């Protein structure tokens, strides 16, 4: 199977015609290098061998030699390369692509590259890129609130679960059997805690602690789990670790782009409820959580509540990919309030899964439900209606649209309230 087109391709090709440094970050294996290779005329891959270090010390100009655009892969292993290429761009030597799967160790002498650099971030493939989605409904349709009714597009239930299990990894597209794909994913997650966590900042780490933290994050994916909750979970399932150890390993996971946070939306309320402030945690692709827990489609069938959290992670990943192309930011809405039931005060909360905020301040809201039946739709409608009741619209603009993302079904606009129902398998 050849190269599968990515949403980012056309924009990269356009900007590569300029004298510029294009930085593409993203988790290992998401397709950064292959995407850049479709455009670049030459390239070099940096590694940690003594031979590479010697070659670069004797002839650093090798970095900028060759046809342009030129690719420099895994440049973060030698952070000084950034400044070297920045100078090449200053000297109008052409376009350079710098791809890396980890955030480099900070260097006081590393210039920001402002005015010379265009930064992109890639993730495993969206459903549209995987050709799971027809792409009939676009983000532009959502922002303009012009959703058209589409044809029924159902997915066999087991196939839905397999899509979650395998995720959006380009390296699995050419894999043969189900067993081979599972084995490759299992090996991938092992390299995260056994190798990548060690390499990211050159500090000694215990792979068992890395695995324990990852598995706890997997068990609590798409939730409000606090650090205290996660520490207790690790203690129950494995052994006790300190908050300092947690913070060190968690930061390393963020540096290698395994974990992404969704921040709380700092909006204005007209009720006495208080806004949540802690972030929700997601994997860059939910297949990693499933691989860590060795969760098969059969196991997912037996725990549909957990499967719902996994699907939420998948939708958030897709929305991030689509939103990045228009410079929009994603948040979640969550509030907490108290009520009295049977004479007792009870703490309650409300939430909406995703708030997409554009650079001009306009926004739209998304509730995520794996099921398409009326019970799930009504539950999502209730959450969106509660959001509208609680927002102070004297201080906040009204939303461009209110939306429910399902797994499959058909897209339509509800006549009674104008809320859009949009299956993931028609969205792009």
């Amino acid at each position: 199977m050849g190269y599968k087109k990515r949403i980012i391709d056309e924009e990269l090709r356009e900007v590569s015609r300029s004298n510029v440094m294009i930085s593409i970050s993203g988790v290992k294996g998401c397709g950064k290098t292959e995407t850049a290779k479709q455009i670049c005329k030459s390239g070099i891959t940096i590694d940690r061998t003594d031979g590479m270090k010697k070659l670069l010390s004797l002839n650093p100009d090798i970095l900028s030699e060759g046809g342009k655009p030129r690719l420099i892969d895994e440049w973060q292993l030698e952070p000084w390369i950034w400044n070297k290429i920045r100078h090449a761009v200053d000297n109008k030597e052409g376009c350079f692509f710098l791809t890396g799967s980890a955030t480099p160790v900070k260097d006081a002498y590393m210039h920001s590259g402002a005015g010379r650099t265009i930064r992109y971030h890639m993730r495993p493939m969206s459903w549209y890129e995987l050709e799971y989605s027809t792409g009939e409904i676009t983000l532009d349709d959502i922002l303009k609130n012009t959703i058209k009714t589409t044809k029924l597009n159902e997915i066999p239930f087991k196939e839905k679960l397999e899509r979650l299990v395998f995720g959006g990894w380009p390296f699995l597209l050419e894999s043969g059997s189900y067993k081979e794909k599972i084995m490759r994913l299992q090996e991938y997650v092992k390299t995260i805690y056994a190798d990548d966590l060690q390499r990211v900042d050159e500090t000694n780490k215990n792979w068992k602690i890395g695995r324990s933290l990852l598995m706890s994050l997997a068990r609590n994916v798409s939730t409000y789990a606090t650090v205290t909750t996660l520490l207790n979970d690790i203690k129950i399932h494995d052994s006790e670790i300190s908050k300092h150890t947690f913070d060190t390993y968690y930061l390393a996971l963020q540096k290698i782009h395994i974990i992404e946070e969704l921040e709380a939306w700092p909006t204005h309320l007209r009720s006495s409820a208080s806004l949540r402030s802690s972030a929700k945690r997601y994997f860059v692709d939910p297949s990693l959580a499933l691989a860590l827990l060795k969760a098969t489609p059969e196991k997912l069938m037996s725990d549909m509540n957990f499967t719902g959290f996994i699907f939420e992670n998948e939708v958030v990943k897709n929305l991030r990919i689509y939103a990045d192309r228009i410079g929009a930011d994603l948040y979640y809405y969550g509030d907490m309030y108290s009520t009295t039931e049977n004479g007792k005060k009870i703490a309650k909360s409300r939430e909406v899964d995703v708030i997409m905020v554009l650079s001009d301040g306009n926004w739209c809201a998304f509730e995520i439900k794996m099921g398409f039946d009326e019970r799930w739709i009504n539950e999502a409608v209730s959450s969106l209606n509660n959001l509208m009741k609680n927002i102070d619209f004297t201080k906040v603009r009204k939303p461009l649209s209110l939306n429910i993302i399902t797994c499959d079904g058909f897209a339509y606009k509800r006549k009674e309230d104008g809320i859009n129902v949009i299956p993931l398998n028609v969205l792009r």
Side-chain angles (χ1 to χ4, degrees):
M1 182 181 292
Y3 176 76
K4 268 191 178 289
K5 291 182 178 179
R6 307 298 292 266
I7 289 173
I8 199 175
D9 286 346
E10 187 176 335
E11 185 173 337
L12 285 177
R13 198 171 295 280
E14 183 177 338
V15 299
S16 70
R17 299 188 182 103
S18 306
N19 186 77
V20 69
M21 185 163 67
I22 299 172
S23 170
I24 307 178
S25 60
V27 68
K28 180 176 67 177
C30 71
K32 304 178 299 296
T33 304
E34 283 305 310
T35 294
K37 281 181 177 179
Q38 307 309 305
I39 301 169
C40 292
K41 295 179 180 177
S42 67
I44 182 173
T45 298
I46 309 302
D47 59 40
R48 293 176 181 270
T49 62
D50 291 338
M52 175 61 72
K53 285 182 178 292
K54 187 173 183 179
L55 175 63
L56 291 174
S57 65
L58 291 173
N59 183 20
D61 289 339
I62 194 173
L63 293 166
S64 55
E65 293 172 352
K68 308 299 185 300
R70 180 165 173 78
L71 167 64
I72 302 172
D73 189 29
E74 298 297 348
W75 70 273
Q76 82 283 350
L77 298 177
E78 299 288 345
W80 61 267
I81 287 175
W82 180 274
N83 282 346
K84 172 69 176 175
I85 299 305
R86 179 176 62 84
H87 289 308
V89 171
D90 285 345
N91 294 331
K92 302 192 183 305
E93 294 181 31
C95 174
F96 294 85
F97 279 72
L98 276 67
T99 57
S101 53
T103 303
V105 177
K106 285 189 177 180
D107 184 337
Y109 299 100
M110 223 173 107
H111 192 280
S112 67
R116 310 166 182 83
T117 308
I118 302 176
R119 300 172 191 267
Y120 294 92
H121 187 75
M122 288 184 67
R123 298 177 175 85
M125 301 173 83
S126 67
W127 274 28
Y128 180 66
E129 292 167 319
L130 287 164
E131 299 178 11
Y132 293 165
S133 168
T134 62
E136 295 168 83
I137 303 297
T138 68
L139 198 53
D140 192 50
D141 296 328
I142 292 172
L143 299 177
K144 292 179 179 177
N145 204 16
T146 55
I147 300 300
K148 59 181 180 290
T149 302
T150 62
K151 294 180 180 178
L152 180 64
N153 186 359
E154 292 183 303
I155 308 169
F157 191 68
K158 188 175 181 182
E159 186 178 331
K160 294 180 191 179
L161 301 181
E162 287 181 350
R163 290 182 181 185
L164 297 176
V165 168
F166 296 139
W169 303 100
F171 61 80
L172 290 185
L173 295 178
E174 295 184 2
S175 297
S177 66
Y178 174 92
K179 184 177 180 180
E180 180 188 346
K181 291 181 179 180
I182 292 296
M183 288 175 64
R184 293 190 69 178
L185 267 177
Q186 296 287 347
E187 192 60 33
Y188 183 96
V189 296
K190 285 179 184 177
T191 64
I192 295 172
Y193 58 75
D195 187 35
D196 296 343
L197 281 178
Q198 301 282 352
R199 292 175 177 271
V200 64
D201 52 14
E202 301 294 345
T203 60
N204 188 38
K205 295 186 182 68
N206 186 323
W207 67 267
K208 291 182 180 179
I209 293 176
R211 182 183 63 182
S212 295
L213 174 55
L214 280 164
M215 292 187 72
S216 182
L217 289 166
R219 287 188 291 268
N220 293 279
V221 66
S222 307
T223 70
Y224 297 109
T226 63
V227 173
T228 300
T229 299
L230 293 169
L231 287 173
N232 288 334
D233 180 72
I234 292 169
K235 183 178 180 180
I236 291 169
H237 289 88
D238 205 325
S239 58
E240 190 171 2
I241 66 171
S242 68
K243 184 179 182 301
H244 174 74
T245 299
F246 176 96
D247 291 342
T248 300
Y249 282 68
Y250 186 78
L251 179 60
L253 289 173
Q254 289 182 301
K255 285 182 176 179
I256 57 176
H257 310 296
I258 296 298
I259 298 295
E260 295 189 313
E261 294 187 342
L262 193 65
E263 298 291 339
W265 186 35
T267 189
H268 297 275
L269 302 181
R270 59 185 178 188
S271 69
S272 60
S274 59
L275 287 169
R276 286 185 179 272
S277 57
S278 59
K280 293 179 74 173
R281 298 179 176 89
Y282 297 90
F283 281 81
V284 67
D285 192 292
S287 61
L288 297 182
L290 297 178
L292 283 158
L293 300 175
K294 295 182 168 57
T296 62
E298 289 72 26
K299 287 183 179 179
L300 289 176
M301 285 183 190
S302 66
D303 189 351
M304 289 307 299
N305 185 55
F306 178 69
T307 302
F309 286 124
I310 292 294
F311 181 66
E312 179 182 330
N313 194 154
E314 180 65 37
V315 173
V316 169
K317 180 194 80 176
N318 278 259
L319 288 177
R320 285 190 197 272
I321 292 170
Y322 304 147
D324 279 353
R325 301 286 62 79
I326 60 170
D329 295 316
L330 299 191
Y331 302 89
Y332 78 88
Y333 170 82
D335 69 35
M336 296 172 289
Y337 66 100
S338 61
T339 186
T340 302
E341 293 183 6
N342 299 322
K344 293 183 179 180
K345 268 196 170 184
I346 298 175
K348 290 195 173 184
S349 63
R350 294 172 289 230
E351 75 166 82
V352 169
D353 294 317
V354 176
I355 305 294
M356 182 180 294
V357 181
L358 307 185
S359 58
D360 63 3
N362 281 307
W363 61 281
C364 53
F366 299 85
E367 263 291 275
I368 300 168
K369 298 293 179 185
M370 191 167 182
F372 187 71
D373 60 73
E374 204 62 27
R375 177 171 67 94
W376 295 113
I377 299 299
N378 288 339
E379 188 176 293
V381 167
S382 177
S383 294
L384 291 168
N385 285 337
N386 282 332
L387 170 71
M388 295 297 286
K389 290 175 185 175
N390 286 319
I391 298 297
D392 184 352
F393 287 114
T394 65
K395 299 177 180 177
V396 180
R397 299 180 188 183
K398 290 191 175 181
L400 298 176
S401 64
L402 299 175
N403 309 277
I404 302 167
I405 304 294
T406 64
C407 186
D408 58 356
F410 60 90
Y412 67 98
K413 183 182 291 292
R414 287 167 49 96
K415 292 181 180 179
E416 55 267 52
D417 49 33
I419 293 175
N420 303 312
V421 179
I422 307 165
L424 188 60
N425 68 343
V426 302
L427 180 62
R428 64 177 166 94

